[in-house]
């Protein structure tokens, strides 16, 4: 059960969560509460499948997914920042709306209800190399993954650099934590937030592509099954740090990989499916700040 | 030589208030210019106009003799104006160097931040101006004085030659204040011009070259520091206000109704806001607390009313000992009434109806409640009567409290609190932002309550109000009580000096 | 991230403008796919109100929303965002079903209240966890509440699959045996989908009205939601109110599920209530969290659902059109400036003057 193959599955499962999480991280750090990630992923996944179906090109499909995410984030920005909508309310109702829209379009374009499976849908190819596969652990982790997986982890690392080592990142951090501080030295807060919103949308769209074309090359209604909210939770738990986000999402990816794996055995699948969600709830109760404090006190005692 | 800054006939209005009226300010190059005045005199507004945060309704601004238009802080920065705000505008989770370079990042050719160079630059800047900082420290870990240093360096880094310092000493200890004043002198030596906003006289006298005094949005005096005396400035600052003559008899104080002993309180940053405060209020008297805002009055009220329970010391209401853990409900039951200083967030729920606002605090009033239930129609009768009695003007009890004007809302709050028949009433800034008619009315009501044998604790930063209403006045400075005066036998000048931290009026 | 939520009061005008724009966009979409919007719209209206039977169906779908809508409205009034209504509903209704399946010998007059009580206790239990996170751990209630939805869905599936599976199914469809016959509601008239459940729903709305308009508790809840500082100043224990409001909200969600089972399904089935929770939240948002508004909102949403079912049956347009329209409407309700930009404001104002219900619903009732 615990062979190294599970590492690869963990990576695959962690990818959409990490991708959407990274996008939302930009929003989070810039002070935007955008909870539309579930809906963007779903609709992004849908348009990727639709585009793949019609054009047969996974490149165009991925672009369609990203474009969808960007459009969704533009609508969100318009409704909240321009029209004065409440971020939580608009985010919530957009999730409902996008879920409904994916089903509606599925029915109206493909005359399918429930799911779309067709051999014309081209999935995102997996990259395998014997050299890579030969390396222990690294091979297990990275061999036979889609390029989205590589991109995701690379971009999450890059995000750390962007946030903490570039002028743009510096401005993002300032806007989120103290908009006045940013404004008094002449940083344009609304523009920074707009850019973050776009990045968030694009990455959520791509996360949808990984779910629909990276796993199985099909679309099912509601196929994101709360991964967007798990990603949201991950951002909250990681306190906006990209490296911590990678760790948290890997943990959730592992929980999901375990549930896939354990299902094949005699364990009740329902309980196992519950794992990732339960993990999020349990994580809410772990008070990292308090742990740190206790550890600090112990260190002091040791001195 | 042209003035570094010349503001000519600046007028700035806000809805219902004129914050600056025809204000002219002239600051010479290489000088420290003091801007002094009471709360609400318009100092900060004037400086925000200079920093491009507000746009004046009239007048013009000249920098180095050239007229300029300042649309936003960025414009002000490009005219080498910098402002150190009263409430620091720093990002806590970033390092000192990152905060300083935020407005003008230092990058390598690749577009990546060059933090090494930034750190060195910040260190160099710190040494140059005698403000050493650790560029790698996180701002949130720094003590207040250090944060202020970062704030000053940030302004200097952006190339400011004209520095606006808004109440920079308000948050500092006496030793730190001395350090800051030395820094200001050094900056002056380096050719910078500084506008120092303060209401502490001693600082003003020790470092400034010129002083402009504001009162009620108008300039009441421009003097050279070397030719001025503290007393003269204090009287320009306080002025011969129209003292609201409130007809009142001599107080007939009875037994003690509120006793506070050795109150200590630290805020969440660990700064001591109350330092061994003890006093008593007797039945049938008004005890006034005078002081510049931010010297512990707000915290004292929070402690007394139970809005915070993290204090030390003993509180007694009448013959009832108040435990530290007692929440506001218990304290209200023990006879406390409270007119809060912030009526928008604590004194009323603006989105709730007037009637709902009236009911607050009176959930055990038998007039309109029965166990578990409220009769809104009975409450409406009571509220209508009480509001009428207090001359509150409103369209219907169903309209949101936010629809009322400031004065009316304040009257409604006073009406509510007095209706509860408190034995002790805390009245904090009861006439702030209220027109003269309503102020007079509120004062009359407070006197009436006093004559009915209740104890009143009046906290106000308006000297005139404290002097005319109170039977005894104590002065708070830096979280402690620095003295008690008899309002009938002391001058406002004397009180002004005490409020500015000069005990007993002697320096 | 800022998860603090405070609902802004919505007036009838904004709601009408939002409904108008939302529906309009919905039908533009339908037109784009080559359908005749007038025909689809007519079918929708007919499906919702066309006959006594259709009205009964609309009310049938409005009934669960009265429970979940009030559950959501109550949490909003107390300043909490109960995102976990679905989970509370599933958990509560499974518990009630188990009672209904086991206690076959108990007379209905006892069994029905017993099932209702069980569902309320279990729903409240499920809501306690996010409330605890908010009040005691100083975190946000939103993420744990959302996750508890998925946990509840899988957990109830597990319990049904391994302990209460109906005989004759091999695990391909997860459902329990029917609940005892004396706990099954029958239609008010044969051929109609409406049962006595609607009266329980109306009672819940009435109780909500009573709570908010007559009781001290409701006053405390409403004030803690509107301005926690003011509430604390006036002697209300805000933290206690927040926990209580979530418990009540969870209990109502659970009750809604139990009533749906007693009234329509007679057994617990996996996925029997796919969107009652979300729809309830939308209902409360549309109705500005007032009792009357929530009732009207529930009926509107029920009619939309019933109409969309008819649309799917007769015109080949997906019933999810209703979901899209719902989502759009709430977006526009919140983004209130929209109506100003496009100038529909005036139309909506005229409409509300025409119907004279400017002051009746919407605005804060007091």
């Amino acid at each position: 059960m615990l062979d190294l193959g599970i590492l690869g599955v963990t990576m695959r499962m962690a990818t959409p969560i990490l991708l959407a999480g990274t996008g939302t991280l930009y929003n989070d750090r810039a002070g935007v509460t955008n909870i539309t990630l579930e809906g963007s992923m779903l609709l992004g996944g849908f348009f990727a499948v639709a585009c793949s179906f019609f054009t047969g090109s996974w490149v165009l499909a991925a672009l369609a997914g990203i474009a969808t995410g960007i459009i969704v984030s533009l609508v969100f920005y318009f409704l909240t920042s321009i029209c004065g909508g409440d971020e939580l309310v608009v985010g919530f109702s957009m999730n409902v709306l996008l879920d409904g829209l994916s089903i509606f379009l599925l029915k109206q374009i493909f005359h399918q209800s429930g799911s779309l499976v067709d051999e014309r849908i081209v999935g995102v190819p997996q990259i395998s190399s014997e050299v890579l596969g030969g390396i222990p652990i690294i091979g297990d982790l990275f061999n036979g993954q889609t390029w989205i997986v590589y991109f995701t982890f690379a971009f999450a690392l890059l995000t750390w650099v962007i946030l903490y080592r570039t002028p743009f990142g510096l401005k993002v951090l300032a806007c989120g934590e103290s908009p006045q501080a940013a404004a008094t030295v002449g940083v344009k807060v609304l523009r920074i937030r707009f850019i973050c919103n776009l990045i968030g949308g694009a990455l959520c769209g791509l996360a949808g592509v990984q779910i629909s074309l990276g796993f199985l090359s099909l679309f099912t209604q509601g196929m994101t099954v709360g991964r967007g909210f798990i990603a949201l939770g991950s951002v909250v738990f990681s306190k906006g740090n990209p490296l911590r986000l990678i760790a948290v999402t890997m943990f959730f990816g592992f929980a999901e990989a375990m549930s896939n794996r354990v299902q094949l055995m005699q364990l009740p699948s329902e309980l196992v499916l519950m794992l990732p969600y339960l993990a999020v709830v349990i994580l809410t109760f772990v008070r990292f700040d308090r742990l740190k404090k206790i550890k600090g006190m112990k260190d002091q005692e040791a001195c | 030589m042209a003035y570094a800054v010349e503001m000519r006939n600046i007028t700035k209005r806000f809805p219902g208030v004129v914050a600056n009226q025809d204000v002219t300010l002239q600051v010479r190059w290489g000088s420290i210019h003091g801007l002094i005045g009471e709360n609400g005199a318009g100092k900060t507004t004037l400086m925000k106009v200079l920093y491009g945060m507000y746009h004046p309704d009239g007048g013009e601004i000249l920098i180095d003799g050239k007229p300029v238009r300042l649309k936003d802080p960025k414009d002000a920065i490009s005219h080498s104006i910098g402002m150190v705000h009263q409430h620091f505008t720093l990002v806590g989770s970033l390092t000192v160097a990152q905060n300083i370079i935020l407005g003008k990042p230092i990058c390598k050719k690749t577009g990546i931040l060059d933090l090494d160079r930034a750190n060195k630059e910040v260190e160099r800047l710190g040494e140059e101006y005698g403000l050493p900082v650790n560029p790698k420290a996180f701002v949130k870990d720094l003590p207040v004085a250090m944060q202020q240093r970062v704030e000053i360096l940030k302004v200097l880094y952006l190339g400011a030659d004209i520095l606006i310092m808004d109440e920079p000493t308000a948050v500092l200890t006496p030793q730190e204040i001395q350090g800051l004043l030395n820094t200001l002198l050094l900056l002056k030596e380096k050719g910078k011009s500084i506008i120092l906003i303060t209401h502490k006289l001693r600082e003003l006298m020790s470092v400034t070259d010129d002083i402009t005094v504001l009162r009620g949005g108008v300039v009441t005096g421009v003097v050279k520091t070397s030719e001025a005396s503290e007393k003269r400035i204090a009287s320009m600052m306080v002025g011969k206000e129209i003292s609201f003559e409130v007809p009142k008899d001599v107080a007939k104080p009875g037994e003690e109704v509120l006793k506070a002993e050795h109150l200590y309180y630290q805020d969440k940053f660990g700064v001591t806001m109350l330092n061994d405060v003890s006093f008593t209020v007797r039945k049938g008297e008004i005890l006034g607390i005078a002081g510049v805002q931010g010297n512990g009055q707000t915290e004292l009220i929070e402690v007394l009313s139970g809005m915070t329970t993290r204090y030390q010391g003993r509180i007694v209401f009448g013959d009832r000992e108040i435990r530290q853990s007692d929440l506001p409900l218990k304290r209200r039951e023990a006879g406390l009434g409270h007119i809060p200083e912030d009526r928008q967030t604590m004194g009323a729920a603006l989105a709730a109806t007037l009637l709902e606002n009236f009911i607050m605090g009176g959930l055990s009033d038998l007039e309109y409640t029965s166990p578990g239930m409220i009769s809104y129609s009975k409450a409406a009768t009571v509220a209508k009567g009480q509001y009428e009695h207090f001359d509150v003007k409103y369209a219907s009890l169903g309209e949101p409290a936010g629809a009322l004007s400031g004065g009316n809302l304040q009257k409604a709050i006073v009406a509510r609190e007095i209706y509860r028949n408190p034995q002790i009433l805390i009245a904090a800034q009861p006439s702030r932002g209220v027109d003269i008619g309503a102020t007079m009315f509120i004062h009359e009501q407070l006197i009436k309550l006093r004559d009915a044998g209740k104890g009143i604790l009046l906290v106000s930063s308006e000297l005139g109000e404290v002097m005319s209403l109170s039977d005894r006045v104590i002065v708070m400075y830096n979280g402690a009580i620095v003295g008690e005066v008899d309002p009938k036998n002391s001058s406002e000048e004397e009180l002004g000096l005490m409020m500015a931290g000069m005990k007993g009026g002697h320096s | 991230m800022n998860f603090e939520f405070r609902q802004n009061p919505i007036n009838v005008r904004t709601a009408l403008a939002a409904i108008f724009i939302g529906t309009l966009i919905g039908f533009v979409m339908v037109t784009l796919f080559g359908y005749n919007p007038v025909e689809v719209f007519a079918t929708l209206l007919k499906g919702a109100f066309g006959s006594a039977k259709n009205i009964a169906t609309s009310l049938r779908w409005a009934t669960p929303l009265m429970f979940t809508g009030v559950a959501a409205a109550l949490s909003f009034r107390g300043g909490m965002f109960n995102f976990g209504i679905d989970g509370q509903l599933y958990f509560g209704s499974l518990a009630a079903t188990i009672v209904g399946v086991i206690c076959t010998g108990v007379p209905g007059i006892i069994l029905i209240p017993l099932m209702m009580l069980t569902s309320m206790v279990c729903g409240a239990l499920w809501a306690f966890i996010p409330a605890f996170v908010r009040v005691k751990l100083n975190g946000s209630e939103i993420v744990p509440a959302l996750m508890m939805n998925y946990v509840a869905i899988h957990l109830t599936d597990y319990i049904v699959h391994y302990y209460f599976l109906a005989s004759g199914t091999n695990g391909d469809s997860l459902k329990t045996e029917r609940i005892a016959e004396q706990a099954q509601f029958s239609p008010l008239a044969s051929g109609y989908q409406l049962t006595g459940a609607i009266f329980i729903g109306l009672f819940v709305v009435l109780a909500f009205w009573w709570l908010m308009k007559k009781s001290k508790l409701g006053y405390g809840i409403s004030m803690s939601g509107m301005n926690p500082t003011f509430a604390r100043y006036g002697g209300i224990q805000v933290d206690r109110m927040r926990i209580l409001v979530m418990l009540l909200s969870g209990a109502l969600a659970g009750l809604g599920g139990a009533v749906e089972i007693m009234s329509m399904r007679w057994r617990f089935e996996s996925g029997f209530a796919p969107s009652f929770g979300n729809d309830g939240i939308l209902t409360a948002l549309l109705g500005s969290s007032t009792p009357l508004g929530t009732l009207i909102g529930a009926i509107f949403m029920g009619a939309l659902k019933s109409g969309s079912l008819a649309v799917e049956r007769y015109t080949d347009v997906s019933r999810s059109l209703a979901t899209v329209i719902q989502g759009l409407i709430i977006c526009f309700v919140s983004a209130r400036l929209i109506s100003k930009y496009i100038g529909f404001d005036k139309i909506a104002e005229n409409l509300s003057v025409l119907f004279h219900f400017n002051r009746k619903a919407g605005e804060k009732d007091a």
Side-chain angles (χ1 to χ4, degrees):
Chain A
M1 163 180 152
L2 276 176
D3 62 299
L4 289 173
I6 200 163
L7 292 178
V9 185
T10 300
M11 294 288 283
R12 202 171 303 147
M13 290 299 168
T15 294
I17 305 175
L18 178 57
L19 202 46
T22 309
T24 304
L25 194 109
Y26 282 92
N27 280 328
D28 179 35
R29 293 314 295 259
V32 182
T33 308
N34 185 341
I35 60 166
T36 58
L37 46 184
E38 180 85 1
S40 319
M41 283 163 80
L42 199 51
L43 200 67
F46 173 80
F47 275 112
V49 165
C51 185
S52 178
F53 178 93
F54 287 119
T55 64
S57 154
W58 62 266
V59 179
L60 289 178
L63 289 177
I66 294 172
T68 310
I70 290 177
I71 291 169
V72 169
S73 70
L74 282 174
V75 172
F76 176 83
Y77 190 85
F78 175 73
L79 289 175
T80 53
S81 292
I82 311 290
C83 300
D86 181 278
E87 289 180 335
L88 274 180
V89 173
V90 171
F92 172 78
S93 35
M94 277 184 70
N95 278 332
V96 171
L97 162 71
L98 297 173
D99 180 37
L101 191 60
S102 71
I103 302 170
F104 178 81
L105 293 174
L106 188 64
K107 176 84 187 289
Q108 268 26 85
I109 299 176
F110 297 103
H111 305 285
Q112 299 282 331
S113 59
S115 58
L116 177 65
V117 189
D118 194 293
E119 54 200 19
R120 272 171 287 182
I121 301 172
V122 182
V124 178
Q126 295 167 348
I127 301 167
S128 310
S129 94
E130 291 201 358
V131 183
L132 189 61
I135 310 168
I137 300 188
I138 302 285
D140 290 313
L141 283 170
F142 289 102
N143 202 21
Q145 306 283 18
T146 62
W147 63 268
I148 298 179
V149 176
Y150 303 113
F151 171 79
T152 301
F153 282 85
F155 192 78
L157 291 172
L158 185 67
T159 295
W160 188 88
V161 177
I162 292 176
L163 279 185
Y164 296 113
R165 289 290 177 270
T166 66
F168 172 72
L170 199 59
K171 287 174 187 168
V172 169
L173 299 184
C175 286
E177 198 178 317
S178 172
Q180 292 93 332
T184 48
V185 291
V187 175
K188 296 219 160 68
V189 177
L190 287 179
R191 186 176 301 169
I192 298 284
R193 288 187 173 164
F194 180 71
I195 296 169
C196 286
N197 217 350
L198 289 188
I199 297 175
L203 295 190
C204 286
L206 189 60
V209 177
Q210 166 74 1
I211 291 177
S212 64
L213 293 180
F215 295 166
L216 290 166
S217 308
L218 56 78
F219 181 83
T220 319
Q221 70 177 65
M223 75 184 305
T224 47
V225 288
R227 285 196 184 92
F229 296 124
I230 293 185
L232 187 68
S234 311
V235 176
V236 175
F237 298 139
S238 60
K239 296 218 160 73
N241 181 320
L243 301 182
R244 229 178 288 160
L245 183 72
I246 296 179
V248 173
T249 51
M250 286 289 277
F251 172 68
F252 292 141
F254 182 70
E256 230 179 300
M258 280 294 284
S259 68
N260 282 2
R261 187 58 62 94
V262 176
Q263 250 169 340
L264 302 175
M265 308 169 59
Q266 294 303 311
L267 286 168
S269 63
E270 293 88 357
L271 278 191
V272 171
L273 279 173
M274 203 169 82
L275 273 179
Y277 310 106
L278 200 60
V280 181
V281 176
I282 290 169
L283 212 57
T284 336
F285 281 84
V286 183
R287 302 287 302 279
F288 295 103
D289 45 340
R290 193 166 289 174
L291 283 180
K292 214 183 231 171
K293 213 179 255 172
I294 292 169
K295 195 167 161 258
M297 272 156 65
K298 280 205 182 121
D299 289 349
Q300 272 181 1
E301 276 166 27
C303 284
Chain B
M1 190 169 152
Y3 287 107
V5 175
E6 189 171 6
M7 299 178 84
R8 286 187 190 155
N9 306 94
I10 298 290
T11 299
K12 174 72 193 166
R13 294 184 204 93
F14 292 108
V17 202
V18 181
N20 290 146
Q21 174 87 48
D22 247 355
V23 173
T24 296
L25 177 77
Q26 292 166 327
V27 182
R28 292 181 287 127
W29 277 115
S31 75
I32 302 180
H33 193 109
L35 189 58
I36 194 164
E38 285 190 297
N39 290 306
K43 305 176 302 256
T44 301
T45 305
L46 186 67
M47 289 302 107
K48 285 190 171 169
V49 167
L50 181 55
Y51 196 55
M53 292 165 85
Y54 291 154
H55 304 269
D57 298 311
E60 59 176 341
I61 300 171
L62 286 82
I63 303 296
D64 203 15
K66 289 182 270 302
V68 292
R69 297 210 53 192
L70 304 169
K71 287 195 300 294
D72 54 24
K74 213 166 186 172
D75 276 353
I77 293 168
S78 68
H79 286 99
S80 57
I81 301 172
M83 182 158 179
V84 175
H85 295 262
Q86 188 173 6
H87 305 284
F88 300 151
T89 53
L90 295 172
V91 187
S93 69
L94 296 183
T95 67
V96 168
Q98 284 171 329
N99 263 288
I100 290 174
I101 63 167
L102 177 62
K104 202 172 77 185
I106 300 177
C107 291
K108 293 177 190 160
K109 279 188 190 128
T110 49
I112 301 286
L113 284 178
D114 193 340
L115 287 180
D116 285 336
R117 203 142 64 81
N119 287 344
K120 282 203 191 93
E121 172 69 19
V122 167
E123 247 167 17
R124 190 195 63 72
L125 204 66
E127 270 164 35
E128 186 183 339
Y129 291 104
L131 295 166
V133 285
N134 173 8
K136 289 176 192 159
F138 288 99
V139 164
K140 62 169 186 279
D141 299 332
L142 296 179
V144 178
M146 212 49 161
Q147 292 191 10
Q148 185 173 56
R149 210 174 259 194
V150 177
E151 189 81 52
I152 297 173
L153 284 175
K154 187 167 87 174
V155 167
L156 290 172
Y157 171 79
L158 290 174
D161 290 323
I162 300 156
L163 278 83
I164 306 166
M165 312 275 297
D166 191 0
E167 305 269 2
T169 58
V171 289
L172 302 180
T173 65
Q175 293 83 350
E176 289 165 350
I177 291 177
Q178 199 48 54
L180 176 72
L181 297 181
N182 291 340
T183 305
L184 294 187
L185 291 172
L186 182 71
L187 287 172
K188 176 178 125 180
E189 227 167 79
K190 302 221 173 216
K192 312 272 181 196
S193 298
I194 297 166
I195 303 174
L196 176 66
I197 304 181
T198 182
H199 34 230
K200 295 184 184 167
L201 273 175
R202 185 183 293 161
E203 291 153 15
L204 196 75
M205 300 308 288
S206 64
V207 292
T208 57
D209 300 303
D210 308 280
I211 296 173
T212 299
V213 186
L214 280 181
R215 187 175 72 235
V218 242
V219 176
T220 51
V222 181
V223 290
K224 275 204 168 355
T225 311
S226 51
E227 297 163 6
S229 71
E230 283 169 8
K231 284 207 164 142
R232 193 169 142 222
I233 292 173
S235 71
M236 281 197 280
M237 192 175 136
V238 176
K240 308 255 180 302
E241 293 194 346
I242 320 149
S243 62
F244 306 109
E245 277 305 321
V246 187
K248 62 170 183 176
D249 301 330
V250 181
K252 303 175 197 70
E255 58 203 273
E256 287 174 358
V257 67
L258 164 64
K259 193 153 74 184
E261 286 179 359
H262 307 296
L263 295 179
Y264 289 89
Y265 173 72
Q266 288 191 336
D267 69 6
K268 60 182 173 200
F269 304 111
V271 180
T272 301
M273 297 308 288
L274 289 184
N275 189 4
D276 194 14
V277 172
S278 306
F279 62 89
T280 55
V281 181
R282 286 167 296 177
K283 284 186 176 169
E285 77 167 353
I286 298 179
L287 176 69
I289 295 188
V292 173
Q293 211 184 342
N295 275 295
Q297 301 96 316
T298 307
E299 289 75 13
L300 177 65
I301 296 166
E302 282 189 0
V303 164
L304 290 175
S305 62
M307 292 300 282
T308 178
T309 50
R310 296 183 301 113
Y311 65 92
Q312 285 160 23
R314 181 163 172 255
I315 298 172
V316 184
F317 289 174
D319 49 8
R320 191 163 160 181
E321 186 89 19
I322 299 296
R323 277 175 306 164
Q324 194 187 327
S325 58
D326 282 345
L327 294 171
L329 184 62
K330 280 265 170 60
R331 299 182 189 222
R332 280 182 175 269
E333 282 167 359
L336 181 76
H338 178 188
I339 300 167
E341 72 180 314
D342 187 348
R343 61 171 165 264
Q344 309 272 342
T345 58
M346 197 188 283
L350 298 184
T353 64
L354 267 182
L355 183 58
E356 286 169 321
N357 271 285
F358 181 78
I359 291 168
M360 184 56 81
L363 284 184
S364 49
D365 191 324
L366 294 176
E367 282 284 319
Y368 52 84
T369 66
S370 46
M373 298 193 22
I374 298 176
S375 162
Y376 284 89
S377 54
K378 280 186 196 160
T381 320
V382 175
K384 213 173 267 173
Q386 186 70 0
Y387 281 163
E388 199 170 314
H389 189 62
F390 275 76
D391 196 29
V392 181
K393 293 183 189 69
Y394 57 92
S396 91
L397 285 173
E399 72 179 319
L404 259 58
S405 71
N408 257 325
L409 182 59
Q410 183 72 359
K411 279 199 272 187
I413 293 170
V414 173
R416 174 184 75 210
E417 292 303 311
I418 290 183
Y419 176 74
R420 306 270 173 258
N421 191 23
Q423 296 309 304
I424 314 149
L425 180 69
I426 298 175
Q429 318 288 359
S431 63
R432 175 180 291 172
V434 173
D435 63 57
I436 293 177
T439 303
M440 301 281 272
F441 184 81
I442 291 169
H443 287 176
E444 272 166 36
Q445 295 304 321
L446 292 178
I447 300 281
K448 222 187 254 176
L449 200 64
R450 177 199 79 165
D451 292 342
K454 318 292 183 195
I456 296 174
L457 183 69
L458 171 73
V459 180
S460 174
S461 49
E462 301 274 333
L463 263 183
E465 182 170 43
V466 176
M467 297 293 273
S468 63
L469 272 181
S470 314
D471 301 308
R472 289 188 294 137
V473 174
I474 54 180
V475 182
M476 278 189 87
Y477 178 74
N478 233 344
I481 294 174
V482 290
E484 177 171 341
V485 294
D486 180 351
K488 283 188 288 294
N489 301 323
S490 64
S491 67
E492 287 179 336
E493 236 175 70
E494 185 188 355
L495 207 58
L497 287 171
M498 278 171 86
M499 283 165 65
M502 300 188 177
K503 212 164 182 170
H506 313 288
S507 46
Chain C
M1 236 178 268
N2 176 20
F3 288 130
E4 280 289 320
F5 175 71
R6 199 158 298 155
Q7 191 179 8
N8 295 311
I10 297 151
N11 58 30
V12 175
R13 234 160 35 138
T14 317
L16 287 179
I19 289 174
F20 182 73
I21 305 171
T23 317
L24 192 73
I25 296 181
F27 283 95
V28 168
M29 275 169 48
V30 171
T31 317
L32 287 180
F33 282 100
Y35 299 93
N36 178 354
V38 178
E39 186 197 326
V40 175
F41 191 62
T43 316
L44 184 84
L45 275 185
K46 225 159 83 190
F49 305 111
S51 66
K53 220 176 221 178
N54 292 355
I55 292 175
T57 310
S58 293
L59 291 176
R60 174 261 174 276
W61 288 111
T63 305
L65 299 186
M66 292 179 192
F67 295 91
T68 55
V70 170
L74 193 57
S75 76
F76 293 161
R77 290 297 284 271
M80 304 283 278
F81 203 129
N82 187 0
F83 249 130
I85 293 180
D86 272 323
Q88 293 143 18
L89 184 141
Y90 271 93
F91 196 65
S93 48
L94 177 64
T97 309
I98 291 173
V99 171
V101 169
I102 292 175
C103 308
T104 43
V106 181
I109 193 114
I110 299 175
L111 184 57
I112 293 174
L114 185 66
M115 285 173 69
M116 285 162 69
L117 190 70
T118 315
S119 67
M120 290 175 78
V121 170
C122 291
L125 214 65
W126 212 247
F128 178 69
I129 291 170
F132 183 84
V133 169
R134 167 74 183 268
V135 171
K136 297 288 177 197
L137 303 184
N138 216 0
S140 152
E141 73 274 22
I142 289 181
V143 172
L146 274 167
M147 290 298 114
M148 297 288 284
N149 286 343
Y150 295 95
V151 173
I153 288 167
H154 292 304
L155 186 65
T156 49
D157 278 358
Y158 166 74
I159 295 173
V160 171
H161 190 166
Y162 286 89
Y163 301 99
F164 294 99
L165 201 61
S167 52
T169 52
N170 306 321
D172 49 335
S173 76
L174 292 173
K175 53 187 176 189
T176 64
E177 296 286 359
R178 284 192 170 182
I179 55 173
E181 219 159 280
Q182 62 271 27
Q184 300 172 1
F185 294 7
S186 43
L188 291 173
S190 73
Y192 288 81
Q193 286 202 347
L194 201 59
T195 68
I198 190 169
F199 297 114
I200 306 178
L202 289 172
F203 176 77
V204 164
V205 176
L206 195 69
F208 179 45
W209 173 83
W210 183 87
L211 181 75
M212 297 320 286
K213 299 284 291 193
K214 298 281 174 194
S215 74
K216 287 183 186 174
L217 182 61
Y219 178 77
I221 290 172
S222 157
M223 287 298 126
S224 333
M226 277 194 191
N227 183 346
T229 315
F230 179 54
R232 261 171 15 91
Y233 150 86
I236 290 166
Q237 280 167 281
V238 175
D239 281 351
R240 197 175 283 181
M241 289 297 153
R242 286 182 170 159
I243 297 237
L244 194 76
V245 105
M246 281 296 275
L247 292 183
L248 280 175
S249 178
L252 286 177
L255 180 65
V259 169
E260 167 76 7
I261 281 176
M262 288 190 276
S263 150
M264 303 306 303
R265 317 268 173 172
W266 298 348
R267 56 162 44 118
F268 183 94
E269 204 172 331
S270 175
F272 79 100
S275 66
F276 287 165
N278 280 353
D279 291 355
I281 293 173
L282 295 176
T283 300
L285 288 172
L286 181 62
S288 193
S289 298
T290 62
L292 185 62
T294 308
L295 180 63
I296 295 173
I299 293 171
F300 175 77
M301 295 286 184
L304 198 57
K305 169 102 178 175
S306 152
S308 70
L309 290 177
V311 165
E312 181 161 84
R313 205 172 320 130
Y314 299 117
T315 67
D316 195 40
V317 172
S318 167
R319 76 173 97 149
S320 56
L321 175 65
T323 318
V324 174
I325 293 177
Q326 281 176 359
L328 284 169
I329 289 173
I330 307 303
C331 279
F332 293 135
V333 163
S334 183
R336 59 195 66 201
L337 295 185
I338 287 261
S339 48
K340 279 185 191 152
Y341 283 169
I342 319 183
F344 285 118
D345 223 33
K346 201 70 194 160
I347 303 170
E349 190 183 9
N350 291 343
L351 275 175
S352 65
V353 169
L354 186 66
F355 291 120
H356 289 295
F357 71 54
N358 205 0
R359 284 204 65 81
K360 276 189 192 159
E363 310 236 348
K364 280 222 15 64
D365 31 333

